[in-house]
């Protein structure tokens, strides 16, 4: 029997992107009174920077452990990023943060890594004492809460990335909570091809069903769709090269490039419909269920002691992005990634690039996270059978690795 493919992101049926009858956007953050949609979260952050009035020459405090794309909007505006310590447990070092809050700092950005809340109430108090803005980065934390309060309601502004949790082709969201902060901008719809191309890529990587026949049919259809979109992409690229124009129709919302030309792009209607037609409670329940199941399976596994676990308990209100483990060294992590990939299992050697403006020598904890953190998918399309397969393949890898490195 053919082994099901385990994709890195969830997918949805074409109907969910077309139908306009849903109403899930009636919940936060989609119902925020002052919520503004962007093509992706980095452009929502850029809009938030403008709204707060942070200007060239100002300083902002960012977490030392970062992807890098959240740094680029500040650099674009001529703002100086400074950094505070993040521990091995992915939590902000409050003492270090407080010490770095000089008079030149205008804002603090706090990231709820992997959907797990930072000590946000304490950070909020520190920001109020120092009279600086709090930017709440909820890119990983859509649907997560801190105790009974939804993440994204603590900061002066908050940003969300819809495509990290939902199978949308694009979507970032800026929420303004501070009544004294104003924002006004004219938006335009994103390029249609950019949206459709990303959808084709999502379907190409979809998590397969358990049926061998269904797996074959899904692979044929998604491969055909992907080949057609790539042929169109090539034609568009040739046209733009001949015409001497920028290739904005080829921009991806998950790229590492910051493209100022699309800062006024809105969210596509495909994304809006998908949000409205998605049972968000089911999404959160499925991710939590899969996280807890995988945790128990790994605890009972022969490879439990070979990995570190930065998070071993799932708080009641958390909607996790993925299941994190520590792998001993970059080399072993890369081999694990490639081993799972060969078996059709997507995984995440998380944030393995180092942005040039971060003084990494000051933050060994962040370097450790960059080189050791590894993510396993637990999204809403994954079943317990998929997770069992994942654990079996990790056990096989560990056994093979140990035999080679005795």
């Amino acid at each position: 029997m053919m082994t099901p493919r385990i994709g890195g992101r969830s997918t949805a049926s074409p109907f969910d992107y077309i139908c306009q009858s849903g109403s899930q956007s009636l919940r936060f953050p989609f119902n925020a009174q002052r919520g503004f949609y962007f093509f992706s979260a980095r452009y929502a952050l850029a809009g938030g920077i403008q709204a707060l009035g942070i200007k060239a020459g100002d300083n902002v405090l960012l977490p030392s452990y970062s992807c890098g794309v959240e740094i680029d909007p500040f650099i674009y505006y001529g703002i100086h990023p400074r950094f505070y310590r993040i521990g091995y447990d992915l939590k902000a070092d409050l003492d270090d943060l407080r010490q770095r809050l000089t008079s030149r700092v205008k804002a603090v950005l706090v990231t709820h890594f992997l959907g797990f809340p930072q000590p946000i109430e304490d950070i909020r108090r520190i920001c109020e004492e120092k009279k600086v803005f709090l930017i709440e980065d909820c890119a990983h934390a859509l649907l997560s809460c801190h105790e009974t309060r939804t993440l994204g309601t603590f900061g002066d502004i908050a940003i969300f990335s819809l495509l990290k949790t939902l199978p949308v082709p694009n979507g970032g969201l800026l929420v303004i909570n501070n009544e004294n902060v104003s924002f006004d901008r004219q938006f335009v719809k994103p390029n249609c091809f950019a949206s459709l191309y990303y959808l084709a890529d999502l379907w190409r990587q979809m998590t397969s069903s358990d049926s061998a026949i269904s797996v074959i049919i899904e692979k044929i259809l998604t491969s055909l769709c992907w080949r057609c979109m790539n042929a169109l992409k090539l034609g568009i690229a040739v046209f733009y090269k001949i015409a001497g124009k920028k290739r904005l129709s080829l921009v991806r919302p998950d790229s590492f490039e910051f493209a100022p030309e699309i800062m006024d792009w809105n969210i596509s209607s495909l994304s809006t419909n998908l949000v409205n037609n998605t049972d968000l409670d089911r999404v959160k329940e499925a991710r939590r269920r899969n996280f807890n199941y995988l945790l128990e399976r790994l605890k009972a596994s022969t490879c439990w002691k070979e990995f570190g676990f930065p998070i071993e308990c799932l708080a009641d209100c958390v909607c996790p992005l993925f299941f994190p483990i520590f792998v001993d060294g970059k080399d072993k992590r890369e081999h694990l990634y490639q081993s799972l990939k060969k078996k059709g299992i997507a995984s995440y050697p998380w944030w393995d690039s180092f942005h040039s403006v971060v003084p990494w020598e000051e933050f060994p904890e962040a370097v450790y996270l960059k080189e050791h953190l590894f993510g396993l998918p637990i999204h809403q399309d994954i079943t317990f059978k998929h997770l069992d397969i994942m654990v079996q393949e990790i056990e096989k890898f560990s056994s093979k690795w140990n035999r080679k490195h005795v």
Side-chain angles (χ1 to χ4, degrees), residues 378-394:
I378 52 166
H379 59 74
Q380 51 270 29
D381 292 352
I382 289 177
T383 66
F384 288 169
K385 181 174 181 179
H386 291 129
L387 297 175
D388 288 338
I389 293 171
M390 199 183 304
V391 173
Q392 291 168 11
E393 293 302 329
I394 293 173

Side-chain angles (χ1 to χ4, degrees), residues 13-223:
S13 72
F15 177 80
D16 290 325
Y17 298 97
I18 300 171
C19 177
Q20 301 181 19
S21 60
S23 60
Q24 287 299 312
S25 61
L26 296 178
R27 63 179 290 170
F28 189 84
F30 306 107
N31 66 348
Q33 186 175 2
R34 292 196 296 162
F36 303 88
Y37 286 104
F38 291 78
F39 186 63
S40 67
R42 77 199 63 181
Y43 304 108
L45 177 57
I49 293 169
Q50 285 186 313
L52 294 175
I54 307 174
K55 295 181 171 53
D58 289 340
N59 289 357
V60 293
L61 270 182
L62 308 179
S64 56
Y65 181 57
S66 59
C67 171
V69 297
E70 69 273 52
I71 300 174
D72 291 335
F74 293 101
I75 294 176
Y76 173 76
Y77 287 118
I79 298 164
H80 303 304
R82 302 292 182 257
F83 301 92
Y84 62 90
R85 195 173 308 283
I86 298 295
Y88 298 110
D89 59 356
L90 299 171
K91 294 293 186 183
D93 183 329
L94 299 186
D95 291 334
D96 187 69
L97 188 154
R98 187 187 293 273
Q99 290 175 8
R100 295 174 186 269
L101 268 173
T102 67
S103 59
R104 298 193 63 181
V105 173
K106 303 300 180 183
V108 174
L109 184 141
V110 174
T111 303
H112 300 296
F113 298 111
L114 313 186
F116 291 82
Q118 292 291 338
I120 191 64
E121 291 176 329
D122 293 332
I123 296 174
R124 173 78 253 179
R125 282 191 289 270
I126 293 172
C127 290
E128 288 174 347
E129 291 171 9
K130 298 291 185 177
K131 294 181 172 54
V132 299
F133 291 118
L134 173 58
I135 302 173
E136 203 174 351
D137 183 351
C138 303
H140 300 176
L142 184 68
L143 309 180
S144 276
C145 302
H146 171 61
E147 296 178 351
T148 59
R149 185 171 170 181
T150 306
L151 295 183
T153 61
F154 294 89
D156 293 287
I157 66 169
I159 60 165
F160 295 85
S161 174
L162 309 189
L163 56 89
K164 286 184 171 59
T165 302
L166 303 176
V168 292
N170 44 63
L173 179 59
L174 166 66
V175 174
I176 298 178
N177 298 313
N178 188 328
E179 296 179 355
N180 297 317
V181 174
S182 60
F183 183 73
D184 184 30
R185 177 179 286 177
Q186 296 297 317
F187 289 96
V188 296
K189 283 293 183 182
N191 182 275
C192 182
F193 181 82
S195 301
L196 294 175
Y197 185 83
Y198 188 84
L199 271 187
D201 194 15
L202 273 182
W203 286 328
R204 176 179 67 94
Q205 303 175 64
M206 73 163 55
T207 297
S208 302
S209 61
D210 296 337
S211 167
I213 295 177
S214 297
V215 170
I216 294 172
I217 294 174
E218 288 167 359
K219 282 189 175 182
I220 292 173
L221 292 178
T222 55
S223 176

Side-chain angles (χ1 to χ4, degrees), residues 341-394:
K341 184 178 180 180
K342 288 178 183 178
K343 298 297 182 178
I345 302 172
S347 57
Y348 320 98
W350 196 245
W351 286 356
D352 55 353
S353 61
F354 291 79
H355 199 288
S356 60
V357 304
V358 182
W360 296 106
E361 66 281 359
E362 293 183 24
F363 303 106
E365 301 91 347
V367 173
Y368 180 89
L369 292 170
K370 285 275 188 180
E371 295 181 343
H372 294 78
L373 189 64
F374 188 80
L376 301 171
I378 52 166
H379 59 74
Q380 51 270 29
D381 292 352
I382 289 177
T383 66
F384 288 169
K385 181 174 181 179
H386 291 129
L387 297 175
D388 288 338
I389 293 171
M390 199 183 304
V391 173
Q392 291 168 11
E393 293 302 329
I394 293 173

